[in-house]
C-alpha cells in the first residue's frame, strides 16, 4: 500500500480525477483493515479470513485494476504527459514518470507499445504516412482504399491541436484483434527437411523460405498467407539465404497483444532452447530482426542480420593488470596465510560476480544474501536496519554526485544538439569534466561539473530531454535549501526501495508471489548495495582497519555531510566539503 500511495501521488491530475473514487476506496479500505489488524494483533472473529464488517480490499483492488485497461484511463494519462511536456518547469523525473505510466497503461490494455508508440511519434512529427496509419487504425479510412501510401518524409499539414486530437483518438480506439505471425532466423542451424512444426512454431530451411515469397495460384494454399501477397513490402531479395540458416514462423493466432514480437520471441527461443539443452550445442544462434504480419499483411520487418561477433580482446588496453599491480602491496601481504574473514569475503565476491549473469529474480536473493553476510560481520542485526543506519546518507550522497556528473558529461557529449557556435565551448567543457589517462582509466571532476551546469543549460534547446534534465538538476542545486529538499526526496525513495527489496526477497526465498516486473524495480538498487558493502568490507580488511571500523567511518562521514548541508555557505561547499 505504501508503494501504491507513492505511485498515486506521482500521477497527474487528469489520471487521478479519472480514477476518482475507485482509487480512494482502495486506500480507505486498506487503511481500515490494517488499523484493525494492527490494533488486535490478529484477525479475531473473522469470516473467511476477514473481520466481519470490514469489506475485503481484494474486490476493490480488482475493480481498480480492471479500470486501468479502459481507454479513458489511457487518454487521461496521455493528457498528463502532454501537459508535462508543454510545461517547461516540469522536472525530468516527473516527465519520466508520466511517460512510464502511460506506457504501462498501454501495455496493460494489450496495446502494442512498438506500433502505437511509433504511430504517435509520427503523428506528432506531422508525418503524412503515420497520420494515414492512425486514421486507418481508428476507422476513418479503409487500408485497402488508400491508393498511394504517403512517403515517410511527406508532411500531413496538421497543426499542433489537430495532431494532439488525432493522438487522443488513436489512444482511445481499440482495434479489432488480428491474426499475428512473426518470423525469426537462426544461424549456424540446419534441418533435414523443408519444414516441420513444433506446436505454433514452424521451422523452414532458408531456400524454402525465399522460394515461397509471391507463390500464388492453385495448389499453393499451403504457403503462409503473408508470403503469398504480391503487393506487400516483402521481396525475395530481402530474405538472406546463408548456408546453415533456418527460419522460425511463430503463429500467435487471433488476438490483441501488447507486444507480439516479444511473445513470439519467447516462443521461438524457448522451443529452440529445449532442443539445445538436449544436445548441448552452442549452435542455433538467433539473428537480429524479424518479419511481423497481421491478417496476412507484413506490417514490420527490421533488417534480418547475423549477430555481431564478440569483440576481440586487446591485452594492452585491458586495465586488469594495472589493478592487480595496485593490489600487490595490500592484498599480497595478507595472502600468506589468508585470514578467515578475508577468505570469506573473497569467496563471496567471486560468487557474487559469477551470479551477475543471472536474471534479476535470483540475483535479488543473492544480493540481499551479500548484505546479510556483511551485516552479520559488522555487528549483527537485521540487514535492512543495518543498511538504513549505515548506508542511507552515503547512498543519497552518491546518487546526487553521480546524477550531477552523468547529466553534465552526457550533455557535454552532444555537440550535434546545440548551435554550431557553442560546439567548441562544449568540447572544452567535456575535457574539463573528465580527464582520460588511457586503458579505460579517467578522473572525474565534480566541481567542474557544477561550474559547467549553467553554461550547458544555456546551450541546449529548451524542450529537449537533455535540457529538461539540466534544468531539473539546476533547480535542485540552486541553493542549500533546495539541495536539502532533494535529499529528503531521496530519503523517501530509499525507504520505499528498501521496504520493497525486503518484501520481494522474502517472497522469492519462501515461495511467495513476486512478478519479474516488480523485481526489476529494485534489481539495480540491490546490486548497488551489495557492491558498496562488499567493497568497503574488502577495503577495511586489506588496509588493516577491519570491516567494523571501515563501515563506521563511512557512516560518520556521510552523516556529517548531511548535517552540514543547512550550515554550508553555498552549494559547492555543501557538496564537496
Amino acid at each position: 500500500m505504501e508503494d501504491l500511495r507513492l505511485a498515486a501521488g506521482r500521477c497527474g491530475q487528469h489520471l487521478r480525477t479519472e480514477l476518482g473514487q475507485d482509487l480512494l476506496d482502495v486506500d480507505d479500505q486498506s487503511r481500515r483493515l490494517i488499523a484493525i489488524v494492527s490494533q488486535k494483533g490478529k484477525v479475531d472473529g473473522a469470516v473467511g479470513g476477514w473481520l466481519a464488517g470490514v469489506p475485503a480490499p481484494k474486490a476493490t483492488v480488482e475493480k481498480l485494476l480492471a479500470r486501468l485497461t479502459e481507454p479513458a484511463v489511457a487518454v487521461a494519462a496521455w493528457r498528463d504527459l502532454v501537459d508535462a511536456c508543454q510545461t517547461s518547469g516540469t522536472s525530468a523525473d516527473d516527465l519520466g514518470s508520466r511517460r512510464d505510466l502511460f506506457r504501462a497503461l498501454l501495455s496493460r490494455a494489450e496495446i502494442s507499445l512498438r506500433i502505437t508508440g511509433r504511430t504517435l511519434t509520427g503523428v506528432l512529427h506531422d508525418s503524412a504516412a503515420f497520420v494515414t496509419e492512425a486514421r486507418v487504425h481508428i476507422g476513418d479510412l479503409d487500408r485497402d482504399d488508400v491508393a498511394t501510401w504517403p512517403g515517410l518524409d511527406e508532411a500531413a499539414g496538421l497543426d499542433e491541436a489537430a495532431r494532439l486530437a488525432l493522438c487522443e483518438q488513436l489512444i482511445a480506439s481499440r482495434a479489432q484483434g488480428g491474426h499475428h505471425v512473426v518470423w525469426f532466423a537462426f544461424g549456424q542451424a540446419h534441418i533435414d527437411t523443408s519444414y516441420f512444426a513444433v506446436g505454433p512454431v514452424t521451422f523452414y530451411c532458408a531456400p524454402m523460405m525465399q522460394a515461397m515469397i509471391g507463390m500464388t495460384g492453385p495448389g499453393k494454399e499451403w504457403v503462409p498467407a503473408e508470403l503469398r501477397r504480391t503487393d506487400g513490402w516483402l521481396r525475395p531479395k530481402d530474405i538472406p539465404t546463408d548456408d546453415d540458416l533456418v527460419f522460425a514462423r511463430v503463429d500467435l493466432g487471433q488476438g490483441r497483444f501488447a507486444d507480439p514480437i516479444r511473445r513470439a520471441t519467447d516462443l521461438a527461443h524457448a522451443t529452440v532452447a529445449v532442443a539445445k539443452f538436449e544436445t548441448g550445442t552452442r549452435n542455433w544462434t538467433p539473428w537480429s530482426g524479424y518479419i511481423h504480419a497481421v491478417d496476412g499483411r507484413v506490417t514490420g520487418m527490421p533488417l534480418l542480420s547475423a549477430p555481431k561477433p564478440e569483440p576481440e580482446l586487446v591485452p594492452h588496453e585491458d586495465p586488469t593488470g594495472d589493478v592487480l599491480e595496485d593490489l600487490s602491496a595490500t592484498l599480497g601481504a595478507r595472502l600468506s596465510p589468508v585470514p578467515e574473514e578475508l577468505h570469506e569475503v573473497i569467496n563471496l565476491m567471486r560468487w557474487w560476480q559469477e551470479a551477475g549473469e543471472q536474471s534479476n529474480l535470483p540475483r535479488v536473493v543473492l544480493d540481499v544474501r551479500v548484505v546479510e553476510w556483511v551485516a552479520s560481520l559488522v555487528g549483527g542485526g537485521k540487514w535492512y536496519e543495518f543498511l538504513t543506519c549505515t548506508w542511507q546518507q552515503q547512498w543519497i550522497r552518491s546518487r546526487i554526485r553521480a546524477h550531477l556528473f552523468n547529466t553534465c558529461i552526457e550533455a557535454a557529449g552532444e555537440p550535434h544538439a546545440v548551435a554550431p557556435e557553442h560546439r567548441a565551448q562544449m568540447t572544452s567543457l567535456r575535457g574539463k569534466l573528465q580527464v582520460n589517462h588511457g586503458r579505460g582509466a579517467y578522473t572525474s571532476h565534480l566541481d567542474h561539473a557544477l561550474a559547467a551546469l549553467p553554461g550547458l543549460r544555456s546551450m541546449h534547446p529548451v524542450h529537449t530531454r537533455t535540457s529538461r534534465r539540466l534544468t531539473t538538476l539546476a533547480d535542485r542545486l540552486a541553493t542549500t535549501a533546495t539541495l536539502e529538499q532533494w535529499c529528503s526526496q531521496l530519503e523517501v525513495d530509499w525507504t520505499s526501495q528498501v521496504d520493497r527489496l525486503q518484501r520481494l526477497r522474502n517472497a522469492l526465498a519462501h515461495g511467495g508471489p513476486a512478478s519479474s516486473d516488480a523485481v526489476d524495480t529494485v534489481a539495480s538498487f540491490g546490486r548497488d548495495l551489495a557492491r558498496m558493502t562488499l567493497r568497503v568490507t574488502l577495503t577495511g580488511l586489506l588496509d588493516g582497519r577491519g570491516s567494523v571500523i571501515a563501515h563506521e567511518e563511512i557512516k560518520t562521514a556521510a552523516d556529517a555531510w548531511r548535517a552540514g548541508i543547512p550550515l554550508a555557505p553555498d552549494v559547492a561547499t555543501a557538496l564537496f566539503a
Side-chain angles (χ1 to χ4, degrees):
M1 287 310 303
E2 288 298 333
D3 281 348
L4 178 59
R5 291 173 191 131
L6 184 64
R10 291 177 175 172
C11 290
Q13 187 59 47
H14 290 293
L15 185 57
R16 284 202 298 269
T17 300
E18 178 62 35
L19 294 176
Q21 194 61 43
D22 292 318
L23 189 58
L24 296 176
D25 286 346
V26 170
D27 188 65
D28 175 63
Q29 291 185 19
S30 65
R31 287 183 188 276
R32 290 170 60 194
L33 180 70
I34 291 168
I36 293 172
V37 173
S38 299
Q39 182 179 6
K40 294 200 172 189
K42 61 179 180 178
V43 183
D44 296 321
V47 178
W50 297 101
L51 249 161
V54 179
K58 180 181 178 182
T60 311
V61 171
E62 289 177 345
K63 182 182 178 184
L64 176 63
L65 293 176
R67 289 219 54 208
L68 296 184
T69 65
E70 295 177 359
V73 172
V75 170
W78 168 258
R79 289 174 179 169
D80 287 328
L81 176 58
V82 171
D83 288 349
C85 289
Q86 291 180 329
T87 305
S88 60
T90 305
S91 73
D93 290 345
D94 286 343
L95 185 58
S97 294
R98 300 284 192 274
R99 174 203 61 212
D100 292 345
L101 177 56
F102 174 64
R103 288 169 54 87
L105 289 170
L106 289 185
S107 180
R108 186 169 187 85
E110 291 292 328
I111 298 173
S112 171
L113 297 178
R114 298 170 189 261
I115 297 171
T116 303
R118 186 174 67 243
T119 306
L120 287 172
T121 302
V123 171
L124 291 174
H125 281 288
D126 197 36
S127 164
F130 284 107
V131 167
T132 303
E133 183 69 40
R135 286 175 171 160
V136 167
H137 184 88
I138 65 178
D140 284 354
L141 291 173
D142 188 288
R143 187 181 297 272
D144 292 331
D145 291 341
V146 181
T148 303
W149 206 268
L152 291 176
D153 57 349
E154 200 174 320
L158 300 181
D159 61 22
E160 182 178 297
R163 280 177 265 162
L164 290 173
L166 181 57
C167 286
E168 280 200 15
Q169 288 180 277
L170 180 65
I171 295 162
S173 66
R174 291 291 186 267
Q176 296 297 317
H179 190 143
H180 289 261
V181 170
V182 187
W183 290 77
F184 302 100
F186 290 88
Q188 296 175 284
H190 173 76
I191 58 177
D192 290 327
T193 185
S194 298
Y195 66 95
F196 62 86
V198 181
V201 185
T202 304
F203 296 95
Y204 296 86
C205 65
M208 182 75 174
M209 164 68 172
Q210 190 180 60
M212 288 189 295
I213 296 176
M215 290 180 65
T216 58
K220 301 298 189 297
E221 292 79 8
W222 60 273
V223 176
E226 65 274 11
L227 302 186
R228 293 200 303 265
R229 297 188 70 107
T230 58
D231 59 344
W233 298 347
L234 196 59
R235 301 167 297 178
K237 68 178 183 179
D238 296 323
I239 305 302
T241 57
D242 301 47
D243 293 338
D244 300 321
L245 185 66
V246 172
F247 283 89
R249 179 184 186 266
V250 183
D251 190 339
L252 294 176
Q254 189 78 16
R256 287 192 291 119
F257 304 98
D259 194 339
I261 310 304
R262 179 177 177 180
R263 182 172 298 198
T265 301
D266 290 344
L267 276 171
H269 288 202
T271 305
V272 172
V274 171
K276 291 176 68 173
F277 178 77
E278 294 293 332
T279 61
T281 182
R282 298 183 64 184
N283 294 323
W284 285 75
T285 307
W287 277 32
S288 303
Y290 58 86
I291 299 169
H292 179 213
V294 182
D295 293 334
R297 181 190 294 270
V298 174
T299 62
M301 45 177 297
L303 182 66
L304 291 161
S305 59
K308 295 180 180 179
E310 291 292 326
E312 293 184 7
L313 298 178
V314 184
H316 67 271
E317 293 183 0
D318 183 358
T320 304
D322 294 337
V323 175
L324 286 172
E325 187 175 349
D326 292 339
L327 287 174
S328 61
T330 54
L331 181 61
R334 296 179 179 275
L335 291 181
S336 298
V338 180
E340 183 59 29
E341 281 189 350
L342 182 59
H343 178 77
E344 286 188 45
V345 75
I346 291 175
N347 281 340
L348 190 65
M349 183 171 289
R350 288 176 53 207
W351 164 73
W352 179 77
Q353 289 173 331
E354 292 168 1
E357 300 300 320
Q358 299 189 37
S359 66
N360 285 336
L361 268 74
R363 274 178 52 182
V364 162
V365 178
L366 300 177
D367 290 337
V368 173
R369 177 69 189 92
V370 169
V371 178
E372 285 179 318
W373 183 85
V374 173
S376 67
L377 184 67
V378 171
K382 295 180 172 63
W383 63 268
Y384 43 89
E385 294 174 350
F386 155 74
L387 283 177
T388 297
C389 176
T390 305
W391 281 95
Q392 183 185 55
Q393 301 305 327
Q394 176 63 20
W395 179 83
I396 290 171
R397 185 185 190 186
S398 300
R399 284 288 299 274
I400 290 173
R401 292 163 72 94
H403 192 67
L404 169 62
F405 180 76
N406 292 338
T407 301
C408 289
I409 197 69
E410 288 174 16
E414 299 178 351
H416 59 281
V418 302
E421 60 268 23
H422 296 315
R423 291 172 185 171
Q425 182 185 359
M426 180 175 285
T427 302
S428 174
L429 285 175
R430 184 175 179 84
K432 294 178 180 178
L433 293 174
Q434 183 170 287
V435 178
N436 294 313
H437 305 300
R439 299 200 195 187
Y442 60 87
T443 301
S444 303
H445 293 281
L446 284 167
D447 51 345
H448 290 312
L450 184 64
L453 184 56
L456 291 170
R457 184 182 177 188
S458 65
M459 292 180 203
H460 283 271
V462 174
H463 281 291
T464 62
R465 174 178 177 271
T466 299
S467 176
R468 201 176 291 268
R469 292 183 65 196
L470 290 167
T471 299
T472 299
L473 181 60
D475 291 343
R476 288 170 170 170
L477 299 178
T479 65
T480 54
T482 59
L483 175 58
E484 174 62 28
Q485 185 178 5
W486 190 7
C487 290
S488 298
Q489 293 170 350
L490 288 172
E491 276 187 356
V492 174
D493 289 343
W494 167 274
T495 302
S496 173
Q497 292 196 74
V498 169
D499 288 348
R500 195 179 317 129
L501 182 63
Q502 179 189 354
R503 294 195 303 273
L504 290 170
R505 176 265 178 198
N506 291 343
L508 291 168
H510 302 296
S515 71
S516 58
D517 288 341
V519 172
D520 288 344
T521 66
V522 292
S524 62
F525 178 71
R527 188 79 172 163
D528 288 344
L529 292 177
R531 180 187 296 110
M532 290 190 300
T533 55
L534 266 180
R535 179 182 291 123
V536 171
T537 301
L538 180 62
T539 302
L541 294 174
L542 290 179
D543 62 21
R545 289 176 299 160
S547 56
V548 174
I549 293 177
H551 278 86
E552 285 179 352
E553 289 179 354
I554 286 286
K555 171 179 168 54
T556 301
D559 289 350
W561 167 79
R562 178 65 186 279
I565 290 177
L567 307 175
D570 52 57
V571 171
T573 304
L575 282 177
F576 308 126

